[in-house]
Amino acid sequence: MTETFTPPFQLIAPDGTTRGKPEHPIDPDTARTYYRSMTLARAFDDEATFLQRRGELGLWLRSLGQEAAQIGSITALQDRDYVFPSYREHAAALHRGLSPGEILAQWRGVSHSGWNPAEHGFHIYTLVLAAQLLHATGYAMGIQRDRDDGVVLAYFGDGASSEGDAGEAFNIAAVNAAPVLFLCQNNAWAISTPTHKQFASPIHVRAKAYGLWSAVVDGNDVFAVRDVTERALDHIRSGAGPALIEALTYRRAGHSTADDPTRYRSDAELADHAATDPIARVAALLAQHDWADDAFFKDVERDARALASRTRSECLALPEPRLETYFGHVLADGGAVLDNERTAALARHLVPTS
Ligand SMILES: Cc1ncc(C[n+]2csc(CCOP(=O)(O)OP(=O)(O)O)c2C)c(N)n1
Ligand SMILES: [Mg+2]
């Protein structure tokens, strides 16, 4: 077992009871807003999974179970701040105003990225692990040189923390006091590698050695994530340098729709984590304080169904993926090997070509 030296910061326990001292009071409006955002994000994620199973998407990586880590952090940002996501930050993407169709285009294989990053202050999804941490650091150094007071938020995973790029980004960000917040969603798995085989020292502990402000938080507690993110942003905006948050969450689904987690993960482990569901926790908080009535829950349910339906129609309105286009983006001038592979692949008709 990896030792966690500091207990993760928590404001709402899994049963919905409040703990600790929040910076801001835990109020009914915010609780309802979080409940709604997380429920809609989950409905979108469910629908995208169905669309992949129906053959409408090539692949899908779920955000199931990670809604609090994403909503708690993204809502702490200001509009002028800029985000570098990894590849499963769908709740954060929706919050930044991306449409379902924009998010799905890449996974349908019809775009390298379905949105204009500048329009949403939300960079393209990056599948090369930890590469976005260097991009984020460079971007933050640019902001610093422009004397802009925006902050950059970069998401990454527990597995990505082992990449050399992560260490380089942490180091150079600290040396330059770059205005960047590194937010690790430690979801306990990197495909089939559990965290105890990934590292012996927790990510938030290693962060301190680089000179980063760091904290560890219960990543399934949306209020705690929001609170810690605000503290990190205050630190960064004061000019004191970059920060890192390790949000302890759990990847409830497989790594992707191409993965079978039953090969390496026990049912008991999954059942244990079902009890820490971030949406159920806010529902319990709402119920305990009588902060939401049936009409509220029905309204959220109706909005979730509407989002699912919009997700379906926007996906089906995207073009059909065309196999030959993929070969056109590998090398500028092609070459015999690529040409042969293209001919063979098209002959097999693995994907509709028109
Ligand atoms: C540089 C690099 N190496 C390997 C891979 C293959 N790969 C894709 S996702 C993944 C696991 C990532 O785990 P983690 O960072 O914990 O993120 P999670 O998928 O759990 O959100 C690996 C090894 C990759 N995409 N990029
Ligand atoms: Mg992971």
Side-chain angles (χ1 to χ4, degrees):
M1 262 291 277
T2 303
E3 190 184 349
T4 300
F5 298 102
T6 323
F9 180 69
Q10 192 182 62
L11 289 172
I12 315 286
D15 65 2
T17 52
T18 51
R19 300 274 152 98
K21 284 203 183 81
E23 289 263 296
H24 309 292
I26 291 173
D27 66 287
D29 271 353
T30 312
R32 284 191 294 263
T33 305
Y34 285 156
Y35 179 84
R36 180 184 292 274
S37 306
M38 294 196 292
T39 304
L40 293 190
R42 187 166 293 182
F44 166 70
D45 183 50
D46 283 346
E47 192 58 39
T49 308
F50 298 146
L51 286 162
Q52 194 285 330
R53 293 299 188 221
R54 278 175 44 177
E56 298 294 345
L57 300 176
L59 184 73
W60 183 244
L61 275 73
R62 304 202 62 176
S63 50
L64 177 68
Q66 298 182 212
E67 295 89 353
Q70 295 180 20
I71 292 295
S73 51
I74 199 86
T75 53
L77 290 188
Q78 298 175 2
D79 286 350
R80 68 198 156 125
D81 298 330
Y82 196 84
V83 182
F84 280 83
S86 186
Y87 42 72
R88 60 169 100 247
E89 278 69 51
H90 316 311
L94 289 170
H95 182 81
R96 278 263 151 163
L98 272 74
S99 69
E102 285 177 320
I103 302 172
L104 298 186
Q106 179 176 15
W107 305 97
R108 189 164 163 94
V110 295
S111 171
H112 285 298
S113 168
W115 63 89
N116 176 353
E119 231 169 71
H120 301 280
F122 197 84
H123 205 69
I124 60 172
Y125 276 165
T126 300
L127 282 90
V128 181
L129 297 178
Q132 77 277 13
L133 304 185
L134 285 169
H135 306 158
T137 301
Y139 194 97
M141 287 167 65
I143 286 181
Q144 194 179 41
R145 278 151 186 75
D146 284 345
R147 302 196 187 286
D148 186 321
D149 57 356
V151 167
V152 176
L153 167 61
Y155 289 101
F156 68 110
D158 42 282
S161 78
S162 304
E163 293 287 339
D165 280 4
E168 290 170 26
F170 301 157
N171 184 56
I172 209 74
V175 165
N176 287 282
V180 54
L181 169 59
F182 301 107
L183 195 137
C184 179
Q185 290 174 81
N186 178 346
N187 62 7
W189 292 93
I191 313 184
S192 55
T193 304
T195 42
H196 69 87
K197 289 193 181 163
Q198 188 80 240
F199 42 76
S201 172
I203 298 156
H204 67 280
V205 172
R206 279 183 279 153
K208 294 205 196 298
Y210 285 100
L212 304 174
W213 180 100
S214 81
V216 59
V217 62
D218 178 343
N220 297 327
D221 174 351
V222 65
F223 281 95
V225 176
R226 169 74 187 247
D227 206 276
V228 167
T229 306
E230 282 185 348
R231 272 191 274 148
L233 292 173
D234 285 349
H235 170 90
I236 297 167
R237 284 194 217 280
S238 76
L244 181 148
I245 295 172
E246 181 175 0
L248 300 175
T249 179
Y250 192 70
R251 195 197 74 204
R252 300 258 301 279
H255 170 69
S256 73
T257 49
D259 178 38
D260 174 8
T262 62
R263 301 273 300 269
Y264 55 83
R265 175 167 83 175
S266 71
D267 291 346
E269 180 184 318
L270 194 58
D272 277 355
H273 284 277
T276 64
D277 183 77
I279 301 180
R281 189 176 308 200
V282 179
L285 172 81
L286 290 170
Q288 275 170 33
H289 296 272
D290 213 5
W291 282 345
D293 54 14
D294 275 0
F296 168 78
F297 288 109
K298 284 212 176 82
D299 190 54
V300 173
E301 225 180 280
R302 199 173 42 242
D303 285 355
R305 276 200 304 275
L307 179 63
S309 152
R310 183 175 161 214
T311 301
R312 255 185 326 274
S313 54
E314 288 188 15
C315 177
L316 300 179
L318 290 166
E320 286 284 333
R322 292 168 61 92
L323 183 57
E324 63 264 40
T325 59
Y326 307 150
F327 289 88
H329 292 292
V330 179
L331 296 171
D333 299 322
V337 174
L338 193 64
D339 285 348
N340 290 340
E341 284 184 358
R342 179 180 184 278
T343 308
L346 292 177
R348 287 202 302 273
H349 289 295
L350 293 175
V351 177
T353 55
S354 59

